[in-house]
């Protein structure tokens, strides 16, 4: 009864951390656990070494998206991929993927890049529906590439190794990119030669400071110079230096506002994480994942039918919840069950993120659909139709990722 | 369950390890000999959190006991770390003798904190594992050496030989060995297999660095609910199964030597002169931490016990 | 209650919380980078930096959450909000805000009990400061969050005149 009341309050817009806390307080009371244990769990969260990379990458991503970076990397990609048939579509997909990896899937890609890409695509002769669908679905492409925030968050929650997660995402993410690119090339207009306003050299020179960004993370971590949290600090410091002092896209006076906003964004995620850690403690105490597994395993024997059901469940969750809440709420419950089915936690992570990524553009309530509708002032139904073919391709990738664990685990083991 | 008393016990040790297996056997015997009145529920593998979280949860009443590591228990009973002084013990016989001598004192220290020390457990002698052979102090200084978080003894000792250790929690050690953030770490032979550290640090200096151990303890408050007969059952079962555990831990460490050698791990020798130098640094470390990291009383008792064994 | 005073007080809370958040983020960046520099060029770091960073992340995240409360930026489901009339929406908002205030007050109580237990049994932590001092952030945050929810009962956080929106502007909701 009380739980039903809380669910109702959740549906009418109560902050999620309050909803989780309320349920946690209730369940602790019923199980006879002292409520101060909630804060013991929060101290545990505070000791997670990876946690620090969240505010740092959030800040770096916010700063990047408010600077001239989107325009500059777009120009650079045109230089690198402009020769390709369907080049602009491939460029759009690639740029969105890289940008999302750095800014997290917060819809910022659609806002920062969509506005630049859509007119360019239309001008190049792409159909409006195709262009809208492409931008909507690419708004969360890149979630599987380092150093994407959801990937790190999965590492934090599941206590898996972040360096392995980063490696695991590369092949599945690239596969997704290739499939979408092939489709784009096939359905693109006949290739028009690009008109250039700047020489290749000028473009390269202009973007010279942003080029090293992906390599800081990759070389830093896999070269043994940095742990993941340190790579975040170096990225944040580098982005400040580049955007504020070299390009001067952001003035020093703007910086405090951006910093405060990043920390508010981080706070919003961390407080849910804290509340959920406390509720997870209740699951652990009552051995709920074990009991759930006992029930589920009576009906589902094979790992593969479990994975199929998991995918359906996650697609549903992904279209209703934002990616952070979905990860925080579902991972602690599913992870121990999946391990009983002998699914590797890293493979599970890639499946999770792919599902949630698809959920972003799944009707009726995928966030990207709303963001794109809002940004480009189009009716939501038009976006449903536009994103369908892309959605189909993403689902094919999902099935490949799910049933061929080697795609995720091949680079690690 | 319908038992009169259900005790929740947590541990960092993973399911299937010697420690958890022994604990389950202990719990089974208590269950049997109290006619199902006293049961234990175990939460292994750190799912209830690290030592600190376990201690806090014991205070809040969510947990009733835990298998603590030395560093974890030393946070509430600092004197518990007294046997972890590097290059102290020469053999397990010495360890056993000193432990029996110190036990009553340590039990008293635990009781003062509202916790009962039921039994001591061990990891065993720990060795230096490294990516390159490190048999001299100079070679050690060249390396990037790990120290456990919250372990003032190791940190102070390493600093006394001019090594600034990189402190990491145990779950971070393997990935840091892999990326090269650290290249030297300490573990028992069995522990290095359980945690797979040897795969990234295949050189073992064949001279124990120190002795690692822990304890099983329960809150005084939770035990106060039992009658004397039930308490005696727990005590007897602990006596049997935790001495069994010492034996099986030691056997695992012996077996591990062969397993490691088979996996291509090299055991490299160091010289008596180097050991002597390290022992002199040990003495400097003791002088520096005595009265801070552990009490003078505890050290005096340790010294007395060691002397009486050696003479 | 006089609204303009409430506006002014709220405005100051925002400024102070923002300032703290900026200082914390700057410290996170500077201290981490300094630690990396020490390791690369002086082959070793300072032992106190990592635990201090962990504390700062906790403080920053919690204070960020407090400020998120004031500016109505918490993640929520809100499936019904778009469907109902403005009048009904206001009533629903009041209900959720009131409920949130009650739950955060309960959390405040739990946080305080945790700190009390640390006072009694905890020991010296980083820099020799007692552990409970570092954990004061828990009751402080939940006191702030409770206070901010109560403030939001009087000042509509989604309204244009809310001090948080005057500073941030709406529309960059992410
Ligand atoms: Na959790
Ligand atoms: Na969504």
């Amino acid at each position: 009864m009380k739980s039903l009341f809380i669910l109702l309050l959740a549906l009418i817009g109560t902050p999620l951390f309050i909803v989780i806390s309320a349920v946690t307080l209730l369940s602790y009371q019923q199980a006879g656990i002292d409520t101060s244990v909630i804060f013991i769990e929060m101290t545990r969260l505070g000791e997670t070494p990876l946690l620090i990379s969240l505010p740092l990458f959030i800040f770096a991503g916010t700063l990047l998206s408010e600077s001239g970076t989107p325009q500059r990397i777009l120009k650079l990609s045109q230089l690198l991929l402009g020769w390709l048939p369907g080049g602009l579509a491939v460029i759009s997909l690639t740029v969105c993927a890289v940008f999302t990896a750095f800014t997290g899937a917060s819809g910022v890609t659609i806002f920062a890049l969509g506005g630049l890409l859509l007119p360019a695509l239309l001008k190049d002769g792409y159909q409006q529906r195709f262009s809208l669908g492409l931008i909507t679905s690419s708004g969360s492409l890149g979630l599987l590439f380092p150093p994407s925030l959801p990937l790190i968050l999965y590492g934090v929650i599941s206590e898996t190794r972040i360096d392995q997660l980063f490696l695991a995402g590369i092949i599945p993410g690239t596969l997704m990119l290739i499939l979408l690119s092939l489709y784009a090339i096939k359905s693109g207009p006949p290739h028009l030669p690009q008109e250039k306003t700047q020489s290749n050299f000028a473009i390269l020179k202009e973007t010279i400071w942003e080029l090293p960004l992906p390599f800081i993370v990759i070389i830093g971590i896999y070269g043994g110079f940095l742990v993941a949290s340190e790579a975040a600090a170096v990225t944040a410091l580098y982005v400040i230096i580049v955007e504020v002092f070299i390009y001067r896209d952001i003035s020093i006076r703007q910086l405090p506002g951006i910093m405060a906003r990043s920390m508010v964004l981080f706070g919003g995620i961390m407080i849910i994480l804290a509340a959920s850690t406390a509720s997870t403690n209740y699951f652990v105490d009552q051995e709920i994942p074990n009991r759930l597994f006992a029930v589920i395993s009576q009906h589902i024997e094979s790992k593969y039918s479990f994975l199929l059901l998991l995918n359906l469940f996650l697609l549903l969750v992904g279209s209703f919840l934002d990616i952070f809440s979905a990860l925080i709420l579902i991972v602690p419950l599913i992870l121990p069950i999946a391990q009983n089915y002998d699914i590797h936690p890293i493979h599970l992570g890639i499946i999770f993120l792919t599902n949630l990524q698809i959920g972003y553009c799944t009707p009726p309530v995928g966030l990207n659909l709303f963001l794109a509708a809002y940004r480009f002032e189009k009716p939501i139904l038009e976006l449903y139709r536009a994103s369908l073919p892309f959605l189909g391709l993403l689902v094919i990738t999902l099935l490949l990722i799910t049933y061929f664990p080697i795609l995720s685990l091949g680079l690690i083991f | 369950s319908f038992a009169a008393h259900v005790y929740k016990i947590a541990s960092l040790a993973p399911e299937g390890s010697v420690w958890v297996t022994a604990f389950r056997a202990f719990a089974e015997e208590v269950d049997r000999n109290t006619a199902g009145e006293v049961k234990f529920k175990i939460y292994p593998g750190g799912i209830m959190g690290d030592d600190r979280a376990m201690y806090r949860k014991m205070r809040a009443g969510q947990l009733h006991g835990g298998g603590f590591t030395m560093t974890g228990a030393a946070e509430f009973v600092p004197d518990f770390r007294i046997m972890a002084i590097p290059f102290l013990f020469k053999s397990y016989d010495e360890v056993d003798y000193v432990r029996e001598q110190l036990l009553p004192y340590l039990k008293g220290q635990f009781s003062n904190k509202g916790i009962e020390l039921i039994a001591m457990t061990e990891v065993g002698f720990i060795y230096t594992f490294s990516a390159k052979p490190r048999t001299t102090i100079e070679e050690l200084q060249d390396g990037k050496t790990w120290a456990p978080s919250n372990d003032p003894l190791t940190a102070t000792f390493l600093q006394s030989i001019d090594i600034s250790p990189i402190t990491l929690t145990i779950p971070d050690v393997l990935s840091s060995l892999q990326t090269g953030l650290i290249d030297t770490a300490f573990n028992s032979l069995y522990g290095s297999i359980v945690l797979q550290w040897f795969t990234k640090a295949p050189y073992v200096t064949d001279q124990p660095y120190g002795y690692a151990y822990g304890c099983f303890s329960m809150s005084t408050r939770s035990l106060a609910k039992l009658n004397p007969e039930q308490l005696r059952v727990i005590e007897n079962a602990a006596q049997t199964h935790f001495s069994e555990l010492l034996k099986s831990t030691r056997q695992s460490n012996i077996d591990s030597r062969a397993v490691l050698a088979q996996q291509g791990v090299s055991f490299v020798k160091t010289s008596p002169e180097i050991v002597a130098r390290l022992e002199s640094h040990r003495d400097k470390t003791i002088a520096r931490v005595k009265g801070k990291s552990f009490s003078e009383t505890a050290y005096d008792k340790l010294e007395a016990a060691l002397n009486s064994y050696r003479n | 209650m006089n609204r303009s005073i409430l506006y002014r007080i709220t405005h100051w809370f925002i400024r102070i919380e923002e300032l703290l958040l900026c200082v914390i983020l700057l410290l996170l960046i500077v201290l981490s980078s300094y630690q990396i520099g020490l390791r690369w060029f002086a082959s070793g770091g300072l032992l106190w930096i990592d635990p201090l960073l962990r504390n700062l992340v906790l403080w920053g995240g919690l204070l960020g959450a407090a400020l998120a409360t004031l500016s109505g930026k918490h993640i929520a489901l809100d499936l019904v909000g778009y469907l109902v009339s403005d009048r009904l929406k206001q009533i629903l908002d009041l209900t959720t805000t009131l409920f949130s205030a009650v739950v955060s007050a309960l959390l405040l109580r739990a946080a305080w009990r945790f700190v009390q237990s640390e006072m009694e049994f905890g020991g010296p932590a980083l820099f020799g400061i007692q552990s409970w001092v570092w954990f004061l952030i828990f009751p402080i945050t939940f006191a702030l969050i409770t206070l901010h929810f109560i403030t939001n009962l009087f000042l509509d956080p989604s309204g244009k005149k809310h001090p948080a929106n005057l500073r941030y502007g709406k529309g960059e909701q992410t």
Side-chain angles (χ1 to χ4, degrees):
Chain A
M1 189 57 223
K2 281 179 190 162
S3 307
L4 211 65
F5 174 68
I6 295 174
L7 181 70
L8 198 70
L9 283 163
L11 292 179
I12 62 171
T14 306
L16 207 51
F17 88 93
I18 290 289
V19 175
I20 305 169
S21 302
V23 174
T24 307
L25 284 165
L26 261 181
S27 13
Y28 273 32
Q29 196 199 11
Q30 276 164 6
I33 306 171
D34 193 294
T35 51
S36 70
V37 172
I38 292 174
F39 290 88
I40 299 177
E41 290 301 315
M42 287 199 199
T43 65
R44 278 178 73 186
L45 177 66
E47 278 159 18
T48 313
L50 212 53
L51 195 65
I52 186 176
S53 52
L54 292 177
L56 294 172
F57 276 130
I58 288 175
F59 168 66
T62 312
L63 201 58
L64 281 176
S65 48
E66 301 219 351
S67 67
T69 306
Q71 286 96 329
R72 280 190 297 268
I73 52 173
L74 187 59
K75 253 195 242 171
L76 177 73
S77 323
Q78 256 158 348
L79 171 71
L80 297 175
L81 296 170
W83 53 271
L84 209 80
L88 187 61
V90 177
I91 289 168
S92 309
L93 292 166
T94 315
V95 169
C96 285
V98 174
F99 198 69
T100 303
F102 272 89
T103 57
S106 49
V108 76
T109 309
I110 290 180
F111 273 82
L113 279 168
L116 299 169
L117 290 170
L118 186 66
L121 285 165
L122 293 178
K123 194 171 145 238
D124 238 30
Y126 289 89
Q127 286 185 340
Q128 165 143 317
R129 186 184 289 171
F130 170 86
S131 310
L132 277 174
L134 183 134
I135 288 174
T136 308
S137 51
S138 62
S140 47
L141 198 63
L143 271 189
L144 297 179
F145 293 129
S148 107
L149 274 183
L151 211 52
I152 298 175
L153 194 61
Y154 178 83
V156 169
I157 300 168
S158 66
E159 296 179 44
T160 39
R161 283 172 51 186
I162 195 67
D163 54 320
Q164 294 191 341
L165 272 173
F166 280 178
L167 279 180
I170 288 175
I171 292 178
T174 313
L175 180 69
M176 205 179 277
L177 202 56
I178 290 175
L179 273 182
L180 290 179
S181 296
L182 287 177
Y183 173 66
I185 292 170
K186 195 181 145 283
S187 49
H191 186 57
L192 302 171
Q194 296 285 316
E195 34 182 302
K196 282 222 185 80
T197 48
Q198 267 176 302
S199 72
N200 293 351
F201 181 71
I203 294 174
L204 262 183
K205 204 178 144 194
E206 206 181 312
T207 49
I208 193 83
W209 292 105
E210 270 140 355
L211 278 178
L213 261 176
F215 301 101
I216 292 180
V217 178
I218 292 163
I219 297 180
I221 295 177
Y222 300 102
F225 303 104
L226 302 167
V227 294
S229 57
E230 294 175 334
V234 173
T235 305
L237 186 69
Y238 184 82
V239 169
I240 293 185
I241 293 172
V242 167
E243 304 302 336
V244 178
F245 296 104
I246 297 180
Y247 290 124
R248 303 192 185 194
D249 289 339
I250 308 277
S251 71
I252 294 196
R253 292 173 60 92
Q254 284 171 286
L255 206 53
I258 295 177
M259 293 178 102
R261 226 175 314 134
S262 312
M263 290 301 278
V264 167
L265 216 57
F266 167 58
I269 294 172
M270 204 197 82
I271 195 81
I272 301 184
L273 203 52
S276 147
T277 312
S279 73
T280 304
N281 179 52
Y282 169 77
F283 297 153
V284 168
D285 187 278
Q286 301 293 306
E287 299 173 318
I288 288 175
N290 289 344
R291 289 195 220 164
L292 266 178
F293 174 68
V295 174
I296 294 174
S297 61
Q298 281 180 350
H299 304 282
I300 304 166
E301 261 177 48
S302 95
K303 165 179 175 174
Y304 294 101
S305 16
F306 172 75
L307 281 173
L308 187 68
L309 276 180
L310 180 69
N311 277 328
L312 291 174
F313 171 68
L314 288 177
L315 282 176
L316 189 73
V317 168
S319 68
F320 282 92
L321 283 177
D322 75 284
I323 197 156
F324 297 116
S325 324
L327 276 174
I328 294 168
L329 287 177
I330 313 291
V331 172
L333 209 56
I334 300 288
L335 186 71
I337 298 176
Q339 276 173 322
N340 275 322
Y341 279 104
D342 220 18
I343 298 163
H344 195 284
I346 302 248
H347 183 212
L348 183 74
I350 301 300
I351 295 176
F352 249 97
L353 290 168
T354 311
N355 267 297
L356 297 178
Q357 177 193 332
I358 295 173
Y360 264 90
C361 18
T362 313
V365 286
L367 182 69
N368 281 358
L369 297 164
F370 282 99
L371 287 176
Y374 177 76
R375 178 69 181 75
F376 305 116
E377 298 176 7
K378 300 284 178 221
I380 188 87
L381 280 176
E382 190 176 333
L383 285 157
Y384 287 174
R385 286 240 307 266
S387 57
L388 269 182
F390 294 91
L391 213 52
L393 286 172
L394 289 177
V395 170
I396 292 175
T397 331
L398 171 65
L399 291 175
L400 290 173
I401 291 171
T402 306
Y403 293 110
F404 296 96
I406 193 164
L407 294 174
S408 313
L409 302 176
L411 285 181
I412 310 171
F413 303 110
Chain B
S1 77
F2 302 99
H5 306 279
V6 178
Y7 289 121
K8 295 178 181 171
I9 311 293
S11 168
L12 286 176
E15 186 72 82
S17 64
V18 285
W19 301 284
V20 175
T21 310
F23 188 83
R24 289 204 190 281
F26 157 80
E28 212 167 280
E29 183 175 324
V30 174
D31 187 349
R32 191 164 5 116
N33 291 348
T34 57
E37 292 274 298
V38 180
K39 286 187 190 297
F40 289 92
K41 214 170 163 185
I42 180 163
Y43 298 89
I47 50 175
M48 277 288 182
D50 64 1
D51 293 304
R52 259 187 222 178
M54 276 156 47
Y55 175 52
R56 289 190 176 120
K57 286 179 179 177
M58 275 168 71
R59 276 164 17 206
Q62 187 190 5
L63 289 177
H64 306 101
F68 288 90
T69 65
M70 178 280 294
T71 46
E75 293 217 349
F76 52 88
V77 178
D79 282 351
F80 190 61
R81 63 170 69 94
I82 193 76
M83 290 171 66
I85 295 170
F87 296 97
L88 185 68
F89 293 112
K90 307 271 184 234
S91 68
Y92 279 120
D93 288 339
E94 266 189 11
V95 169
D96 289 340
Y97 181 80
V98 170
R99 185 186 52 242
E100 290 314 311
Q101 298 294 305
L102 288 178
L103 209 48
Y105 172 75
L106 291 175
K107 282 190 170 185
Q109 296 288 301
F110 273 76
S111 282
N112 291 344
K113 295 281 173 171
I115 291 180
E116 298 308 318
L117 173 59
I118 311 272
M120 280 179 68
T121 54
E122 81 176 19
V123 175
F125 278 120
I126 53 173
Y127 294 81
T128 310
F129 281 77
S130 192
K132 289 180 196 162
R134 302 218 185 274
T135 53
T136 66
I137 295 178
E138 290 67 31
E139 281 172 350
L140 276 171
Q141 286 164 339
D142 269 349
K144 290 181 271 184
T145 306
W146 166 70
S149 311
N150 315 312
D151 183 358
L153 280 186
T154 304
T156 312
F157 178 75
L158 291 175
Q159 279 162 347
S160 85
I161 51 177
D162 284 326
I163 292 173
S164 320
I166 295 164
T167 54
L168 298 165
T169 57
I170 288 177
D172 284 333
V173 170
L174 182 61
S175 57
S176 305
L177 279 172
Q178 175 154 28
T179 60
L181 181 69
I182 55 170
D183 63 11
T184 304
F186 308 99
N187 207 332
S188 73
L189 300 181
Y190 176 58
S192 82
I193 293 177
V194 172
L195 297 173
Q196 294 288 300
W197 292 3
F198 76 90
T199 56
K200 304 296 164 200
Y203 290 91
V204 183
T205 309
D206 205 355
Q207 161 71 38
Y209 165 90
Y211 172 68
Y213 53 99
C215 66
F216 165 49
S217 50
M218 291 181 66
S219 70
T220 312
R221 194 168 32 145
S222 66
L223 286 172
K225 293 173 189 151
L226 299 183
N227 62 39
E229 177 51 32
Q230 291 166 329
L231 284 172
R232 197 156 39 243
V233 169
I234 289 185
E235 210 170 298
N236 287 340
Q239 188 75 41
T240 319
H241 291 281
F242 287 94
S243 18
E244 262 322 295
L245 175 59
L246 281 193
K247 277 187 213 147
S248 55
T249 316
R250 283 173 196 177
Q251 192 55 48
S252 308
N253 275 320
I254 293 170
D255 299 344
S256 297
R257 187 175 277 268
V259 174
L260 286 173
Q262 212 170 34
Q263 297 285 326
V265 169
S266 316
F267 287 83
V268 289
K269 293 263 179 260
T270 184
S271 68
E273 294 75 41
I274 291 166
V275 176
R277 270 175 73 192
L278 288 169
E279 282 172 348
S280 78
H281 282 289
R282 170 202 66 201
D283 295 336
K284 279 184 214 156
T285 305
I286 293 172
R288 216 178 289 174
V289 299
K290 193 159 60 174
K292 285 186 215 140
S293 299
F294 47 74
S295 70
E296 305 231 4
T297 321
Y299 185 72
D300 293 344
K301 284 183 187 297
L302 172 88
E303 212 175 20
L306 259 184
N307 286 339
S308 89
Y309 179 84
R310 285 176 185 171
N311 299 321
Chain C
M1 188 177 307
N2 187 327
R3 276 201 175 200
S4 74
I5 291 178
L6 190 57
Y7 267 88
R8 216 175 299 161
I9 295 172
T10 308
H11 186 77
W12 275 106
F13 265 110
I14 293 173
R15 303 212 77 161
I16 293 168
E17 284 170 30
E18 275 188 349
L19 181 72
L20 286 171
L21 289 174
C22 288
V23 171
I24 288 173
L25 182 54
L26 264 181
L27 280 173
L28 290 183
I29 298 171
V30 171
L31 286 177
S32 312
S33 307
Y34 182 63
Q35 181 83 325
I36 298 164
L38 283 181
R39 210 187 54 231
W40 284 355
F41 304 113
S43 77
L46 295 172
L47 285 176
W48 52 268
I49 289 187
D50 290 338
L52 179 61
L53 285 173
R54 281 200 281 275
N55 275 297
L56 284 172
V57 173
L58 195 65
W59 283 68
L62 290 167
L63 283 174
L67 191 51
T69 308
L70 203 45
S71 44
K73 282 194 165 30
H74 277 299
I75 298 172
L77 290 182
D78 200 7
L79 298 179
V80 186
Y82 301 104
L83 306 172
V84 299
S85 69
D86 282 358
R87 182 85 194 100
L88 185 57
K89 171 91 178 114
Q90 262 186 346
I91 296 173
L92 292 182
D93 279 351
L94 271 184
T95 316
T96 59
T97 309
L98 194 63
F99 176 68
S100 305
V102 172
V103 173
S104 29
L106 289 173
L107 288 171
L108 170 60
R109 198 183 63 160
W112 183 245
R113 285 154 53 93
F114 171 71
V115 169
Q116 276 180 317
S117 165
E118 280 298 304
M119 279 180 183
E120 197 174 344
F121 298 101
L126 184 57
F127 302 134
I129 298 171
Q130 293 294 312
S131 62
W132 66 267
V133 179
W134 294 99
F135 292 133
L136 275 179
I137 190 64
F138 293 132
I140 290 174
T141 304
F142 284 95
L144 278 174
I145 289 180
T146 312
L147 182 76
H148 291 345
F149 275 125
I150 294 172
T151 309
N152 285 347
L153 285 175
F154 299 96
L155 305 176
D156 171 19
S158 56
K160 290 237 168 348
K161 282 187 184 161
H162 192 281
N165 293 331
L166 291 179
R167 280 186 66 75
Y168 291 126
K170 278 269 167 186
E172 32 72 21
Q173 180 74 48
T174 49

